[in-house]
Amino acid sequence: MSSDKKPKKPYPGFDRRVTVVAAVLMIAFSLLIVRLWSVQVVRWAEFRDKSDSQRIRPQNIDAPRGMIYGRDGLKEDVVLADNRAAKDIMFVSADCDIEPKIVAARLKTLLGIDPSAFLDQVERARKGGQPYRQISVKRDVPSDVLARVEEHSHFLPGVITVVRPQRRYFYGKTGGQILGYVNEIDPASLKKKKDRYKMGDLFGRTGLEGRYESTLHGRDGEMLVTRFASGMPQVLTNAYGKMYVKYDSLGHPLEVLDDVIQPQAGNPLYTTLDIGLQAKAEELLRGEEGAIVVLNAATGEVLALASAPGYDPSVFVTQGMDEERRDALNGKPNRMQNRAFQEHYAPGSIFKIAMALAALEEGIIDENTTFYCPGKYRLPSGAGPWHCWRRQGHGHLSLVDALAFSCDVFFYNVGHTLGVDRIHKWATRFGMGGPTGLDLPKEVPGIMPTKAWREAMLKKELPGEPWNQKWFPGNTINLSIGQGMATTTPLQGAMLIALITNGGHRVRPYLNKDLAAEVTDTSLRPKHVALVRQGLLKCVEKGPPAPTGTGQTAQIEGMTVLGKTGTAQVAELKARKPYTDVGLPVPRGLLHHAWFVAGVPELDPPIAVCVLIEHGESGGDASGPRAKAIIEHFYAGRQPAPEVALAHRAESTP
């Protein structure tokens, strides 16, 4: 049955709405297609990198520090500092199938750990959802202890060993102040050097470690490790210290991608330090506060730079040495200060060497000049008196005898004529009272005064006393014998005697073998150097027939030794009177500092030695024998034994 009804027409406006919807859908799909094209084609590389950055993490591989070498007598390239494999015991709770408290009890027996502290770390890792996080049990475990742990490894599930490089100082305290120490880099240093460093890296603080940090610090390696949205890769090492990764702290299995970038060890540093001689010098300083410096007088190579007391740099990188570290940093007297170049003292009578050379070069005296020493000296104005150390006087002396017997009155006369500014000119030319150029940080320059320097200083200190601000003639008299405002370091004392030993040239002291020797011509006339040498040789000679010089304690049979004693006053003599008047010992703090400088010009290599003993009282008694011992020790290994020499002669006999 058919229907006569006509189909209904769409309501008015339907076609228009369909058209609009179709257009909107077409535009939307077009935008989606364009967006997909942009994301998947145009910006594919960008989004791939972002994806990889979420999936792949670079894992750092620490680079070992460069090795430091020295010498030992005739033996070259002796290792002073290197890196050893430190073995740390760690615990991973996910690998432990028994109660952690059982493992804790066993570790207490084997390692002496605190079980409660250990279990607290385990619990924090569990609450943090990181069962695979490595928990430090004990760092840098000795081999015998590690062997005991490995014997019980079956009863210690979850306990693993991780190997890492750690700084090692072969000779401990010997040379410790020269080598310096390392510890973790601080935020301020990291901000300046973030291109090569990360938090936790070791950073040189003092000594050679600090001065040559950029040389010794290597470049870390890297391996790319897959990662998940959370969890930190847990680095493991094999028995040889090679790093690998198996999982992260949440237990996700990880894999290393592409080639591993191997770390580059720091560059080695070859030094001039004679570690055997350094050990001898430190032995001679045991129980004292002072310094011994030994230089190659011809080149300036530093052979020994001993200071007492010292410290062992190992305490800054070794676990469980907190007390020793605190003692090194805060103990009294200061162990961190190298008295050879970081402390300055009145030079006392060793300064007479510089005075003699200055007076000869300025034409004030010559080999025939004599002064009469009655035991005291007054200025032409009548001011004084200034006494000679030998109160009965020396009588008439020439320069050679004035040096040999260390006559103060002779040099009072010389100093008054020279004047402070000419003394300053020559003393600084010889390297006194200024930087020496030593390649170690924090060198103290000392003081070599001038009129202008004193006046500028006292204007600040005594602004309302202009009459006290000028340089007085009496200041020059004190300066003439190395007292008053002049201060120098033992290193500068060694440079001064090196100048006489090598014939009149100033040397720049250095430790790094890669630095070329710097020898400066001081324009000294050879005859003047030779005249001063005569005085320093006579100082060491024993009488009779010649009278005995003040440095006789350094005399070595069959060897030419130049020497000069020095006794530097540290307190007014009247402060000692309450003790000396009643026959009591003078307190150590009131005793004079004891200097001795010595040179050996005729052997190869020629050496220059400076010994300073704080409050040693007498240079001849306290420092001279030590200088002698250093010289004998140094040359003992450089002379063939008698039987060897005889064998050589026998072989050469036709």
Side-chain angles (χ1 to χ4, degrees):
M1 176 171 138
S2 62
S3 173
D4 296 334
K5 292 183 178 180
K6 295 181 179 179
K8 293 182 179 180
K9 292 183 178 181
Y11 58 84
F14 175 78
D15 293 339
R16 185 171 59 82
R17 292 183 181 184
V18 170
T19 302
V20 171
V21 170
V24 170
L25 290 173
M26 185 175 295
I27 293 171
F29 277 107
S30 298
L31 291 174
L32 180 60
I33 291 170
V34 170
R35 179 62 177 165
L36 290 172
W37 174 266
S38 173
V39 169
Q40 297 187 11
V41 179
V42 176
R43 301 178 64 188
W44 172 81
E46 176 187 346
F47 285 103
R48 179 202 60 188
D49 293 341
K50 285 185 177 181
S51 174
D52 283 347
S53 70
Q54 299 296 320
R55 188 179 65 89
I56 299 172
R57 167 175 292 177
Q59 182 66 43
N60 189 80
I61 306 176
D62 291 339
R65 287 180 73 80
M67 296 172 66
I68 302 177
Y69 296 90
R71 62 178 67 151
D72 187 2
L74 298 175
K75 186 178 179 182
E76 297 285 341
D77 299 341
V78 175
V79 177
L80 305 181
D82 71 348
N83 307 285
R84 64 180 176 83
K87 297 180 179 180
D88 301 337
I89 294 179
M90 315 294 283
F91 177 74
V92 180
S93 60
D95 292 338
C96 181
D97 55 6
I98 62 177
E99 282 293 323
K101 64 181 180 181
I102 299 175
V103 176
R106 292 170 179 170
L107 290 174
K108 178 185 178 182
T109 303
L110 293 169
L111 301 174
I113 69 164
D114 179 0
S116 60
F118 169 75
L119 292 171
D120 284 345
Q121 292 187 70
V122 174
E123 183 63 18
R124 283 198 297 271
R126 186 190 66 78
K127 288 181 177 179
Q130 295 186 326
Y132 283 85
R133 181 165 69 84
Q134 294 176 2
I135 295 167
S136 177
V137 177
K138 194 159 189 174
R139 292 171 63 84
D140 195 14
V141 179
S143 298
D144 57 334
V145 177
L146 184 65
R148 201 159 59 242
V149 172
E150 290 175 348
E151 286 175 7
H152 296 80
S153 59
H154 180 71
F155 304 101
L156 297 169
V159 175
I160 61 173
T161 302
V162 175
V163 182
R164 60 179 170 81
Q166 176 163 305
R167 201 61 161 162
R168 172 171 56 181
Y169 299 96
F170 265 78
Y171 296 90
K173 188 176 178 181
T174 302
Q177 290 176 322
I178 302 171
L179 295 173
Y181 73 93
V182 296
N183 62 11
E184 288 190 11
I185 191 168
D186 57 283
S189 300
L190 180 63
K191 188 175 181 181
K192 296 177 184 176
K193 301 176 179 289
K194 58 185 177 182
D195 58 323
R196 288 184 62 187
Y197 293 82
K198 65 182 185 309
M199 284 305 296
D201 278 354
L202 293 181
F203 190 73
R205 296 296 179 185
T206 60
L208 292 169
E209 295 276 25
R211 171 62 178 81
Y212 292 103
E213 168 61 28
S214 60
T215 299
L216 296 168
H217 186 80
R219 289 197 174 274
D220 291 349
E222 186 179 89
M223 55 184 174
L224 297 178
V225 180
T226 58
R227 60 164 286 180
F228 291 80
S230 58
M232 293 290 292
Q234 300 298 290
V235 179
L236 303 170
T237 58
N238 62 17
Y240 304 100
K242 186 175 180 180
M243 299 174 65
Y244 66 96
V245 173
K246 290 174 60 178
Y247 42 71
D248 65 17
S249 57
L250 297 175
H252 300 126
L254 304 179
E255 117 185 67
V256 176
L257 306 178
D258 302 325
D259 292 332
V260 174
I261 301 174
Q262 296 297 333
Q264 297 178 20
N267 293 320
L269 178 65
Y270 294 89
T271 75
T272 63
L273 185 67
D274 186 326
I275 195 64
L277 187 66
Q278 178 77 18
K280 180 65 176 179
E282 293 186 16
E283 175 191 327
L284 292 169
L285 289 173
R286 190 171 299 150
E288 302 285 358
E289 295 166 39
I292 296 177
V293 180
V294 187
L295 303 179
N296 181 321
T299 63
E301 294 177 52
V302 175
L303 304 175
L305 200 68
S307 172
Y311 68 89
D312 182 351
S314 300
V315 304
F316 292 94
V317 292
T318 305
Q319 295 296 312
M321 303 193 76
D322 295 343
E323 184 176 342
E324 292 85 347
R325 190 157 50 248
R326 282 192 297 270
D327 184 55
L329 290 169
N330 305 315
K332 299 295 182 184
N334 189 352
R335 287 162 164 66
M336 305 303 293
Q337 182 182 49
N338 191 312
R339 288 164 169 77
F341 67 97
Q342 292 178 332
E343 182 60 274
H344 54 137
Y345 310 83
S349 290
I350 67 167
F351 192 64
K352 292 170 182 174
I353 300 173
M355 290 291 298
L357 291 170
L360 288 167
E361 290 295 319
E362 292 288 345
I364 302 299
I365 58 173
D366 60 24
E367 66 272 18
N368 299 314
T369 301
T370 61
F371 291 105
Y372 178 70
C373 171
K376 59 186 177 180
Y377 171 82
R378 289 186 182 273
L379 286 167
S381 65
W386 285 266
H387 292 279
C388 185
W389 70 268
R390 192 170 191 260
R391 291 306 174 95
Q392 66 268 41
H394 289 95
H396 288 281
L397 298 111
S398 65
L399 175 62
V400 170
D401 286 344
L403 286 169
F405 308 130
S406 199
C407 176
D408 294 331
V409 171
F410 185 97
F411 289 98
Y412 292 151
N413 282 281
V414 167
H416 175 66
T417 307
L418 264 176
V420 58
D421 289 335
R422 285 197 288 185
I423 294 173
H424 175 273
K425 178 184 77 172
W426 286 100
T428 53
R429 186 178 296 185
F430 303 150
M432 308 191 80
T436 66
L438 177 70
D439 54 328
L440 284 177
K442 299 182 179 179
E443 179 184 9
V444 172
I447 300 169
M448 194 53 56
T450 63
K451 287 182 180 179
W453 173 84
R454 174 184 163 87
E455 290 169 3
M457 180 188 68
L458 293 181
K459 278 181 181 178
K460 295 179 180 179
E461 294 185 3
L462 305 169
E465 303 178 22
W467 57 89
N468 278 331
Q469 294 171 5
K470 65 178 184 177
W471 182 274
F472 294 98
N475 298 131
T476 305
I477 300 304
N478 288 330
L479 177 62
S480 301
I481 60 167
Q483 293 285 170
M485 295 183 175
T487 61
T488 57
T489 65
L491 178 60
Q492 293 170 6
M495 289 175 62
L496 180 63
I497 192 65
L499 180 142
I500 299 298
T501 305
N502 67 30
H505 304 286
R506 173 177 168 175
V507 295
R508 185 276 313 271
Y510 67 98
L511 279 155
N512 184 353
K513 274 188 175 182
D514 288 341
L515 298 176
E518 288 185 13
V519 182
T520 305
D521 183 9
T522 56
S523 302
L524 291 171
R525 296 171 192 163
K527 67 176 184 178
H528 292 160
V529 176
L531 189 63
V532 172
R533 269 194 181 189
Q534 289 180 38
L536 301 185
L537 180 60
K538 190 170 184 178
C539 177
V540 177
E541 286 180 344
K542 290 184 178 180
T548 299
T550 58
Q552 60 171 313
T553 53
Q555 196 266 347
I556 301 173
E557 193 69 33
M559 188 180 295
T560 299
V561 178
L562 311 176
K564 182 71 191 78
T565 54
T567 301
Q569 186 176 320
V570 298
E572 293 186 16
L573 294 178
K574 64 182 180 182
R576 300 159 58 113
K577 280 185 64 64
Y579 303 94
T580 56
D581 287 350
V582 295
L584 290 175
V586 177
R588 179 174 175 80
L590 299 179
L591 297 178
H592 308 316
H593 292 334
W595 290 88
F596 197 92
V597 291
V600 182
E602 296 180 356
L603 295 180
D604 184 28
I607 63 170
V609 181
C610 180
V611 180
L612 169 80
I613 304 299
E614 292 185 12
H615 307 295
E617 184 66 4
S618 167
D621 294 337
S623 299
R626 289 177 165 93
K628 176 181 178 179
I630 283 290
I631 294 168
E632 289 177 327
H633 178 88
F634 181 77
Y635 288 111
R638 287 165 171 77
Q639 297 171 344
E643 59 271 18
V644 175
L646 288 172
H648 288 169
R649 285 200 294 273
E651 290 169 3
S652 61
T653 302

